Amino acid sequence: MQNQTRIIIENVSPQLDGGINPIKRVVNQKVAISADVFADGHDVIQCCVKFKHENDEKWQEVRMIPAENDLWNASFRVEKQGFYTYFVEGWIDHALNWQHGTERKIQDNQHVKSELLEGAEYVKAVQKFGDAQENEYLEKVAHYFTTESNYDKAIEEATSSYLHQIFKKYPIRFLENKSLELQVYVDRKKALFSTWYEFFPRSASAEEGKHGTFKDCERLLPRVASMGFDTLYFPPIHPIGEVNRKGKNNATNANPEDVGSPWGIGSHFGGHKSTHPELGTIEDFKSLVKKAKDLGIEVALDYALQAAPDHPYVKDFPQWFKWRPDGTVQYAENPPKKYQDIQPIYFESSDWKNLWKELLDVALFWIEECDVKIYRVDNPHTKPFYFWGWLIGEIKKKHPDVLFLAEAFTRPKIMNELAKQGFTQSYTYFTWRNSKKELTEYVEELTKSEQKEFYRPNFWPNTPDINPQHLQHGNESIHLQKYFLAATLSSNVGIYGPVFEYQISAPLAPGKEEYLNSEKYEYYKWDWDKQNKITTLITRVNTIRKEQISLQQTNNIVFCDTNTEQVMGYYKFDDDKQNETLMVVSLDAFNTIHAMVRLPNALLSNLPVQITDLITGNSYIWDKEWNFVELSAELPFHLFKIQR
């Protein structure tokens, strides 16, 4: 290939898979770009990042700043939702190259008459771009450069910083080259910062033995809001299948009074576009969504693509399910687990286009009819990746505010691919990370590797499906530790609410990460008025998260050295370092720990610093590199705001 350009542009970062997939940001976040840009010889080169929103006609530009070893850096801020395109452009800058060479000759006391005449040509070339003041100046400079009697003034202006600024402002791009065009997808802020609370609406009743309703859920909204949660997630609210319905503790044979699993979707009462009749009507649900919104809460629905044996789909669209040679339909299995009450969708169906359209219509129904803007997607890793890319893309075209949380506890590359296909947030391995080493290594992976550009973690200490062993029969302190870690390590956090608050953690059997008497198969009567230390401190931590913008992002984190493996310390800051926090947490749920914490390097040059514990209100002056902390089982963490 013949190409006269002399500019080489390599290693543009960030980018995913050679630009196949976009990186992710939220509104008003910065996109920091780096690239290796260089040319042959010794000529002065310049480069920039060009970027524009998909709805804009003109490109914006920000100049790159050289670092070491031909590395250049720049950043721009994304201000609107949707796709931005960006690329790096570089060029030989003859005007700056002329000024640089001429300046060196002048310093060497060489006569530069010829060089000044050459410079006059560059000055004239940029005059058509300047404003009135700049052009008046350039006219004088051109006169000095072409008039021998003004030689002293000419060499003064040839080396002036003002002329340098004008040349840089209005570059004459010679033999320019550009990188591939890359994309960033920009979501609303809630994609990055959200606080989730999950409960089963059928357990919302105030009366013992009575099935809860959407009206009962409305009564609980002020409690959820007062605890600082902004997202209320419900397991499926659709009719529950009656054929092969599961009994308590996942029993194969249900008793007549058993209510079944909400994930066994569909019955003669309807399917994915219907509500369970005991919960209420579509109108009741709309009322709930509106009243939640008035309190600053968004209702998130479960998007579970599966059907009970008596779902209308099975009769009306049998081609969307896999039938075995004996004439029975294949039910869901994850050996040794069996889900006889669930039939998976057969995505290899020859009628796949109509299937995809119907599943898109289901999602759009709740968005457009009921103002639902958030989906928690059940087991997305068991459906085709490109289906998700298509579905999420189609929804985002019409409804860019809609967010998707991927419930995929599976292999890392699969979780990553789901995020690349468009999932806004993702469940993580945090649930099983407990030691200082495990937690540090995992968060470093999420925030320092390529994952930081596309994978937004949502840290959940527990879910209805996962009763982690460290919480089983766990005391109050371990629950406090896990929520604090989740809420301060990640900017997205969630809990399976009342079970976590009230320390309901007995396992189904030794070694099983399932709940005994799981709410997945029955409804509970909770004491929703109950307050304890866990609910109080969750509320306090959630309030602090809303006040401290350093906790509203995940990636700006630095782990601090401590003198014991039982204590973690980490420092967080916003992009402009206007807000800084320091978290110190004990990993010992039974004992008081005395420890030393080393301040991060970013703070050592500004000693002393004042720190205020936002939990207790106590303030301290730290004037040394290493500082003392005390952490008890009763209050196993500090959350310090740093004041320089």
Side-chain angles (χ1 to χ4, degrees):
M1 178 183 73
Q2 290 183 307
N3 187 347
Q4 195 184 9
T5 184
R6 296 164 55 197
I7 298 292
I8 301 296
I9 302 174
E10 296 179 337
N11 300 321
V12 178
S13 177
Q15 62 172 286
L16 296 180
D17 307 315
I20 294 174
N21 296 305
I23 63 169
K24 295 178 183 177
R25 293 294 187 271
V26 300
V27 172
N28 290 326
Q29 268 195 307
K30 288 182 179 178
V31 182
I33 307 294
S34 66
D36 295 333
V37 185
F38 54 93
D40 60 280
H42 304 288
D43 286 344
V44 173
I45 66 171
Q46 291 288 294
C47 53
C48 67
V49 174
K50 287 189 172 180
F51 63 97
K52 72 181 182 72
H53 186 267
E54 59 185 325
N55 294 332
D56 293 341
E57 293 184 3
K58 294 183 179 180
W59 292 92
Q60 297 184 65
E61 177 182 310
V62 58
R63 300 295 282 273
M64 302 189 81
I65 299 171
E68 58 183 15
N69 195 25
D70 295 311
L71 178 69
W72 295 72
N73 297 299
S75 66
F76 63 93
R77 197 177 293 275
V78 288
E79 298 176 341
K80 297 183 285 188
Q81 289 178 228
F83 283 101
Y84 280 75
T85 300
Y86 63 94
F87 64 88
V88 173
E89 184 175 83
W91 60 92
I92 303 294
D93 198 309
H94 283 306
L96 290 180
N97 194 58
W98 166 83
Q99 189 180 39
H100 176 69
T102 302
E103 185 174 24
R104 295 181 68 181
K105 290 180 181 180
I106 292 171
Q107 291 171 348
D108 192 44
N109 295 316
Q110 296 183 32
H111 195 76
V112 291
K113 176 183 176 181
S114 177
E115 286 80 0
L116 292 173
L117 293 174
E118 182 184 0
E121 297 300 316
Y122 294 123
V123 169
K124 291 175 182 178
V126 300
Q127 272 187 286
K128 57 186 174 183
F129 302 110
D131 60 28
Q133 180 180 338
E134 291 167 336
N135 285 336
E136 182 181 352
Y137 168 75
L138 292 171
E139 189 69 36
K140 291 180 181 178
V141 170
H143 176 70
Y144 295 153
F145 284 1
T146 56
T147 308
E148 281 195 54
S149 60
N150 291 307
Y151 183 79
D152 290 343
K153 188 64 175 175
I155 62 173
E156 177 184 334
E157 294 299 341
T159 60
S160 75
S161 60
Y162 187 42
L163 182 60
H164 182 88
Q165 290 171 16
I166 293 176
F167 280 156
K168 192 168 183 179
K169 183 178 179 181
Y170 306 113
I172 301 170
R173 303 173 197 237
F174 185 71
L175 298 181
E176 69 269 20
N177 197 9
K178 61 177 282 189
S179 69
L180 291 175
E181 292 187 0
L182 303 166
Q183 286 193 310
V184 51
Y185 185 77
V186 182
D187 273 302
R188 61 187 173 114
K189 184 178 179 181
K190 196 157 191 172
L192 181 63
F193 176 58
S194 59
T195 314
W196 294 56
Y197 189 87
E198 176 181 4
F199 74 80
F200 286 71
R202 68 187 184 189
S203 294
S205 175
E207 297 181 34
E208 188 73 46
K210 186 175 180 181
H211 195 289
T213 67
F214 294 134
K215 293 296 183 184
D216 291 320
C217 294
E218 287 185 10
R219 175 177 54 85
L220 300 178
L221 290 175
R223 179 184 189 272
V224 175
S226 70
M227 290 183 68
F229 292 98
D230 57 36
T231 307
L232 176 57
Y233 157 55
F234 289 148
I237 61 172
H238 314 299
I240 298 172
E242 297 173 10
V243 176
N244 295 341
R245 176 175 285 190
K246 289 297 187 78
K248 293 181 179 181
N249 287 315
N250 202 23
T252 303
N253 298 314
N255 294 318
E257 69 275 11
D258 285 333
V259 291
S261 167
W263 284 273
I265 296 171
S267 74
H268 60 94
F269 290 112
H272 282 74
K273 297 177 184 176
S274 304
T275 57
H276 188 65
E278 291 190 80
L279 289 175
T281 66
I282 294 286
E283 292 303 314
D284 293 333
F285 179 69
K286 288 182 181 179
S287 172
L288 169 63
V289 171
K290 183 180 184 304
K291 290 183 178 178
K293 190 174 182 179
D294 291 341
L295 292 171
I297 297 171
E298 293 189 54
V299 174
L301 283 188
D302 200 293
Y303 187 62
L305 301 186
Q306 57 212 29
D310 43 336
H311 192 297
Y313 285 163
V314 180
K315 178 182 177 182
D316 297 340
F317 304 100
Q319 69 273 25
W320 293 351
F321 301 90
K322 187 174 183 179
W323 297 85
R324 298 184 293 193
D326 63 0
T328 61
V329 72
Q330 177 67 56
Y331 59 75
E333 292 185 272
N334 183 14
K337 296 179 179 180
K338 296 181 179 181
Y339 305 97
Q340 296 92 338
D341 59 334
I342 292 173
Q343 297 177 181
I345 301 295
Y346 185 48
F347 278 89
E348 295 181 15
S349 168
S350 60
D351 191 34
W352 64 275
K353 288 188 177 180
N354 287 323
L355 170 62
W356 284 28
K357 181 181 183 302
E358 172 62 17
L359 299 180
L360 173 62
D361 286 346
V362 166
L364 289 173
F365 173 82
W366 297 100
I367 295 167
E368 295 174 351
E369 291 294 318
C370 301
D371 200 28
V372 169
K373 294 293 194 298
I374 305 178
Y375 281 116
R376 177 268 199 190
V377 180
D378 189 64
N379 280 330
H381 54 292
T382 60
K383 288 84 180 172
F385 297 118
Y386 293 133
F387 163 74
W388 291 121
W390 172 81
L391 180 132
I392 294 172
E394 289 298 303
I395 291 173
K396 288 284 195 177
K397 287 176 186 177
K398 296 177 66 178
H399 305 284
D401 279 354
V402 177
L403 310 178
F404 296 85
L405 169 63
E407 186 255 355
F409 298 107
T410 184
R411 304 192 303 278
K413 290 180 181 178
I414 293 176
M415 295 166 72
N416 287 347
E417 184 61 32
L418 290 168
K420 291 177 182 180
Q421 289 295 331
F423 277 92
T424 318
Q425 301 176 6
S426 305
Y427 280 70
T428 68
Y429 302 136
F430 167 79
T431 314
W432 297 277
R433 300 295 187 262
N434 299 306
S435 71
K436 178 179 178 178
K437 183 175 185 293
E438 290 172 336
L439 286 163
T440 302
E441 288 181 351
Y442 186 50
V443 174
E444 289 278 356
E445 176 187 334
L446 291 170
T447 62
K448 300 297 186 289
S449 74
E450 185 184 58
Q451 282 182 283
K452 70 181 180 180
E453 304 295 350
F454 66 91
Y455 192 93
R456 294 194 191 99
N458 195 326
F459 280 8
W460 288 66
N462 71 327
T463 76
D465 296 307
I466 302 167
N467 178 19
Q469 292 191 15
H470 58 271
L471 289 184
Q472 292 177 13
H473 306 295
N475 65 5
E476 181 181 74
S477 187
I478 187 67
H479 285 77
L480 292 174
Q481 290 172 15
K482 292 302 289 187
Y483 188 77
F484 183 81
L485 286 164
T488 56
L489 287 170
S490 172
S491 53
N492 293 308
V493 62
I495 55 168
Y496 169 31
V499 164
F500 187 85
E501 294 171 52
Y502 306 143
Q503 304 171 58
I504 309 297
S505 54
L508 179 63
K512 297 283 188 181
E513 286 194 324
E514 299 174 61
Y515 287 98
L516 179 64
N517 301 322
S518 171
E519 202 175 1
K520 286 165 54 176
Y521 308 104
E522 55 185 292
Y523 58 80
Y524 276 34
K525 164 63 173 64
W526 296 108
D527 181 1
W528 292 103
D529 296 324
K530 181 178 179 180
Q531 297 290 318
N532 59 22
K533 185 188 289 187
I534 293 177
T535 60
T536 299
L537 285 173
I538 284 176
T539 301
R540 183 63 190 140
V541 170
N542 288 347
T543 300
I544 294 169
R545 278 166 47 89
K546 290 182 177 180
E547 295 170 345
Q548 307 301 318
I549 60 175
S550 58
L551 300 177
Q552 296 171 18
Q553 58 78 44
T554 300
N555 290 336
N556 294 340
I557 184 170
V558 176
F559 286 96
C560 303
D561 295 328
T562 66
N563 66 340
T564 171
E565 291 302 300
Q566 292 301 100
V567 172
M568 283 186 67
Y570 44 98
Y571 159 68
K572 299 192 82 171
F573 50 93
D574 68 308
D575 283 346
D576 299 320
K577 287 200 173 180
Q578 297 301 303
N579 182 260
E580 300 167 286
T581 47
L582 178 67
M583 283 57 67
V584 185
V585 55
S586 169
L587 303 180
D588 188 323
F590 301 98
N591 301 295
T592 295
I593 300 292
H594 297 134
M596 299 296 289
V597 178
R598 183 183 182 274
L599 283 170
N601 290 334
L603 299 179
L604 291 179
S605 60
N606 288 324
L607 295 180
V609 295
Q610 180 178 336
I611 59 171
T612 301
D613 190 333
L614 299 177
I615 304 294
T616 65
N618 295 330
S619 291
Y620 309 90
I621 299 296
W622 281 9
D623 58 359
K624 300 179 180 63
E625 182 178 355
W626 288 84
N627 297 273
F628 173 81
V629 293
E630 178 179 285
L631 298 154
S632 67
E634 288 73 27
L635 186 59
F637 46 76
H638 296 293
L639 202 169
F640 296 120
K641 181 177 181 179
I642 297 165
Q643 295 163 290
R644 293 176 181 261

